Amino acid sequence: MVARATMVCRMAQVTGIGGIFLRSRDPARLAAWYRENLGVPMSDKGTVTFHWVDHMSEDNPGTTTMALFANDTEYFGEPGQRAMLNFRVDDLRALLTKLKARGVEVLPELEDSEFGRFGWCVDPEGNRIELWEPADGM
């Protein structure tokens, strides 16, 4: 009897979100806006890499979500906006207050859900940005 080796073939798959990319009319100016207003530590060239391992704990696993929306959704704001950034924040109300004081367009709606609190602002190029303060344990 000849023994046959069984090979386990693993399907190639996605293991996480590697990046979010936005078109910009002036990348350096937009990078400065994100740095100054939202605290995103972007380089002058407009790049940043977040290392979740550095900021996660048992109570804060540091996850990233990808979600698909219908083409006619109003959730993103303007119909031409094809993507929306969602940033985790540590204090939504304080950040929204700071943004308003700096003259950033802050949308009046706030949403509380089982996932946490959500608010929105708009960057200088008209992109709606979702700000998310996760519920405890998320």
Side-chain angles (χ1 to χ4, degrees), residues 34-49:
Y34 277 93
R35 200 171 38 250
E36 293 163 10
N37 290 291
L38 297 179
V40 178
M42 297 191 100
S43 72
D44 290 338
K45 294 183 179 185
T47 62
V48 62
T49 299

Side-chain angles (χ1 to χ4, degrees), residues 55-94:
H55 301 285
M56 64 187 246
S57 67
E58 214 171 284
D59 295 335
N60 181 12
T63 61
T64 300
T65 298
M66 177 180 172
L68 305 176
F69 289 79
N71 194 46
D72 62 351
T73 186
E74 294 181 10
Y75 196 65
F76 289 12
E78 296 298 319
Q81 185 172 334
R82 302 294 303 162
M84 181 172 62
L85 298 174
N86 169 292
F87 288 114
R88 288 174 74 109
V89 302
D90 57 2
D91 187 338
L92 178 63
R93 292 188 192 281

Side-chain angles (χ1 to χ4, degrees), residues 5 12 14 26-27 29-30 36 38 45 51-52 54 63 68 70 74 81 84 87 94 101-102 105 107 115 124 132 138:
V14 171
D26 186 345
R29 180 175 160 261
L30 195 57
E36 293 163 10
L38 297 179
K45 294 183 179 185
H51 299 278
W52 283 107
D54 295 343
T63 61
L68 305 176
E74 294 181 10
Q81 185 172 334
M84 181 172 62
F87 288 114
R102 291 180 171 201
E105 181 182 351
L107 303 181
F115 304 108
W132 170 47
M138 292 196 87

